[in-house]
Amino acid sequence: MRKKLFIGGEWVEASHVQDLYSPFDGQKIAEIPLATIQEVDAAIDTAKKNKKVMKKMPAHERADILDNVARLIAQNREECARIIATEAAKPIQTARGEVARTIMTYKFASEEARRLPTEVVNMDAAPGGENRTSYTRREPTGIVAAITPFNFPMNLVAHKLGPAIASGNPVVLKPASQTPLSAYFIADIFDKAGLPKGALNVVTGKGSTIGDALVTDERIGVITFTGSPEVGIGIRNKAGLKKVTLELGSNSAVIIDKDVDIDGMVERLVQGAFAFQGQVCISVQRIYVHESKKRELLKKMKETLKKWVIGDPLDDATQLSALISESEKNRVLSWIQEAVDQGARIVTGGEEEGMIIKPTVLENVDSSMKVSCGEVFGPVVIVDTFDDWQQAIDLVNDSDYGLQAGVYTNNMKHAFTASEELEVGGVMINDFPTFRVDHMPYGGVKQSGTGREGIKYAIEEMTEIKLVCFNHN
Ligand code: NAP
């Protein structure tokens, strides 16, 4: 139950620990190390000693380690799902889905390790470049500092460790304080998978202290951060010349055209809005439906939600459970209340039950209300209407964020206009914005961040291009 830091491939007793509680029932589930600045320093130091080891490791060995990681997770998939469900209150079925994706992420990382991109550059395209052979190499930038959020404690860690190890970088990982158990479990798996000791280090503790120590340390070459815009912007401001990838929040929108069949999409929309209590960076938060379809959509969403099973995350039937913390629950409730006070109508939900907020659908919402323009990151979706396609696109773009958007239409012209004009990192035509598979380029614009994940793309962010030029003369 008492966890240790993972530094230099050893489990190190920390000088300070703090209790970790289940978000669902408040039961104590573990004691977690609170790393000191000295312990973070030791983790960076051991990662630094492994820079050469990792850089010189042949691609097939890096690929084999990542393959082993995928295999070991698959062998322990139920235990992984239970860890996620317990520490994050993620319904176990959803947690199993996350584990399946984590396995795929490491498999993609293993494949990418074998084919780091290289390019032959035709130097004689420029006068003076004759008689030269030139090519690029991708070299690890290292050390990678990986800072991860609570909502996908295994797969979002995989999106950082996978590409880092695939491209020969040592890593210091700092997972979210609420979800450290997944990270420590994965550290053990990397150890068993044959990763050199010290190439991966895991430190836990308060983001504002140890996160800061990582972000400002001169030995770190790359910061890969997934989390809230406030923290991300702070990191960018302190990072100096380090490479920084920021995968931040959003208030993702979906447009539903007048010609589409509501029955065919309503289950998926509800899933996109309420899976893991809406605590997903691409969860459906804003639905813009053609005026003629609004009543039908609301009625069917309400009917679907009546069947949703709410309760214990470890119960197989549960679809929606507790929010990650009391303060987050209170924040989301206050945003709902603010909207209602300003004229919004609750179609369904709005109430709390213990640590749970019932799935909430709102209409008559103004775009200035927090439930529309902020990132709710809770089980709340707003439904608004449009008459004209351009108006729908403008409504989606009227946001500080831009991660992904969904568009349901059978009109080709509308689909192409949306794909060109929506200000987001990814447009899903005839699907919800919540769609993601783990090798696709993924990331946002505006306050949703900079840089891309999806193993191949993350590798670009974690490596430097070196040019080699042979003079034949
Ligand atoms: P968060 O509060 O920003 O925390 C993310 C991580 O940053 C945690 O490990 C946190 O540590 C650490 N941290 C906090 N303060 C720090 C500082 N000053 N310096 C360095 N690190 C610091 O986010 P969260 O609540 O865990 O996650 C929710 C957010 O993540 C939402 O905005 C969501 O949209 C976003 N998200 C984005 C994506 C994407 O791919 N775009 C995916 C998932 C989630 P502590 O836990 O110790 O505070």
Side-chain angles (χ1 to χ4, degrees):
M1 185 181 242
R2 191 184 173 112
K3 291 289 172 186
K4 294 179 177 172
L5 300 163
F6 188 67
I7 299 176
E10 307 295 335
W11 293 100
V12 179
E13 188 81 51
S15 37
H16 299 83
V17 290
Q18 89 178 354
D19 293 341
L20 180 69
Y21 298 98
S22 150
F24 174 65
D25 58 16
Q27 294 284 316
K28 179 173 163 180
I29 48 182
E31 286 171 14
I32 301 301
L34 278 181
T36 59
I37 299 294
Q38 291 71 28
E39 286 158 341
V40 175
D41 183 66
I44 300 174
D45 201 51
T46 180
K48 186 171 175 213
K49 288 187 183 123
N50 273 277
K51 269 181 95 164
K52 243 195 200 143
V53 178
M54 287 304 292
K55 187 175 172 181
K56 287 200 173 300
M57 184 186 282
H60 69 88
E61 280 182 30
R62 298 195 304 269
D64 282 348
I65 290 167
L66 290 160
D67 237 4
N68 290 342
V69 169
R71 189 174 38 77
L72 288 166
I73 296 173
Q75 283 168 8
N76 294 280
R77 58 170 77 219
E78 190 56 20
E79 189 177 354
C80 289
R82 293 189 81 78
I83 292 171
I84 297 171
T86 306
E87 65 180 356
K90 182 171 283 192
I92 187 83
Q93 294 286 9
T94 316
R96 288 184 187 124
E98 178 176 347
V99 176
R101 279 184 56 189
T102 306
I103 294 166
M104 280 310 297
T105 304
Y106 284 116
K107 282 186 181 169
F108 281 124
S110 167
E111 286 173 17
E112 293 301 336
R114 293 184 200 272
R115 55 172 182 234
L116 290 193
T118 174
E119 188 186 7
V120 172
V121 185
N122 295 321
M123 302 305 262
D124 65 354
E130 295 86 350
N131 293 319
R132 278 161 174 82
T133 299
S134 196
Y135 59 91
T136 60
R137 289 166 51 82
R138 278 269 168 191
E139 297 198 343
T141 308
I143 304 164
V144 171
I147 304 178
T148 52
F150 74 84
N151 63 339
F152 286 85
M154 288 224 177
N155 198 32
L156 291 183
V157 164
H159 270 286
K160 307 207 178 296
L161 303 192
I165 301 299
S167 54
N169 286 288
V171 186
V172 179
L173 167 66
K174 186 249 167 292
S177 290
Q178 181 56 45
T179 53
L181 300 178
S182 298
Y184 282 128
F185 194 84
I186 290 298
D188 189 42
I189 280 188
F190 264 99
D191 197 33
K192 291 184 173 127
L195 188 71
K197 291 197 179 297
L200 169 63
N201 304 274
V202 183
V203 287
T204 46
K206 234 175 153 233
S208 46
T209 13
I210 68 167
D212 224 42
L214 282 172
V215 167
T216 52
D217 195 290
E218 288 304 322
R219 292 165 291 179
I220 299 291
V222 181
I223 300 164
T224 171
F225 171 81
T226 303
S228 58
E230 307 79 70
V231 176
I233 291 164
I235 287 176
R236 164 73 91 198
N237 289 338
K238 287 179 210 152
L241 286 178
K242 299 178 185 75
K243 287 185 152 202
V244 182
T245 300
L246 299 176
E247 299 288 342
L248 310 178
S250 193
N251 57 354
S252 300
V254 58
I255 308 177
I256 302 173
D257 208 350
K258 62 180 169 205
D259 58 359
V260 297
D261 170 32
I262 297 288
D263 280 329
M265 73 177 62
V266 72
E267 293 272 354
R268 196 151 171 85
L269 281 184
V270 165
Q271 192 65 29
F274 301 112
F276 191 33
Q277 293 83 261
Q279 298 169 125
V280 176
C281 48
I282 39 176
S283 72
V284 176
Q285 183 178 328
R286 298 177 294 149
I287 298 177
Y288 298 112
V289 60
H290 190 268
E291 182 66 53
S292 61
K293 294 275 183 182
K294 179 182 171 186
R295 283 295 133 211
E296 182 189 357
L297 176 70
L298 286 179
K299 182 167 162 279
K300 288 182 174 159
M301 284 180 79
K302 210 171 157 179
E303 281 163 9
T304 306
L305 283 168
K306 263 196 205 138
K307 293 180 244 147
W308 265 48
V309 181
I310 292 171
D312 187 338
L314 288 165
D315 188 331
D316 264 348
T318 297
Q319 289 168 286
L320 186 129
S321 189
L323 286 214
I324 198 69
S325 67
E326 178 112 44
S327 59
E328 277 298 281
K329 186 191 74 170
N330 291 337
R331 178 189 59 76
V332 174
L333 284 170
S334 75
W335 285 23
I336 296 172
Q337 191 55 49
E338 179 210 68
V340 170
D341 290 346
Q342 293 177 12
R345 193 182 84 79
I346 296 178
V347 177
T348 182
E351 313 108 29
E352 58 185 305
E353 188 181 297
M355 283 296 293
I356 295 170
I357 298 179
K358 299 232 178 112
T360 302
V361 181
L362 296 169
E363 64 171 335
N364 299 343
V365 172
D366 187 84
S367 63
S368 65
M369 295 176 189
K370 288 200 194 90
V371 288
S372 177
C373 65
E375 180 185 31
V376 176
F377 219 58
V380 179
V381 64
I382 66 146
V383 178
D384 199 355
T385 57
F386 66 91
D387 296 320
D388 166 69
W389 193 245
Q390 190 59 47
Q391 183 197 1
I393 290 172
D394 293 345
L395 282 165
V396 175
N397 286 344
D398 182 20
S399 168
D400 291 338
Y401 303 102
L403 197 44
Q404 295 202 144
V407 174
Y408 285 93
T409 183
N410 290 318
N411 180 322
M412 288 283 281
K413 192 156 182 278
H414 284 182
F416 278 111
T417 315
S419 67
E420 282 163 18
E421 292 192 15
L422 287 172
E423 296 164 357
V424 289
V427 178
M428 304 299 136
I429 305 288
N430 287 328
D431 211 340
F432 59 4
T434 324
F435 177 80
R436 184 179 185 188
V437 286
D438 292 284
H439 59 307
M440 72 187 215
Y442 179 80
V445 299
K446 302 197 254 185
Q447 284 199 31
S448 292
T450 56
R452 290 293 177 269
E453 289 196 333
I455 307 301
K456 176 179 156 196
Y457 308 93
I459 284 175
E460 287 173 13
E461 313 266 344
M462 295 176 177
T463 51
E464 299 290 349
I465 293 177
K466 181 186 273 178
L467 177 85
V468 181
C469 182
F470 283 79
N471 182 352
H472 301 185
N473 298 317

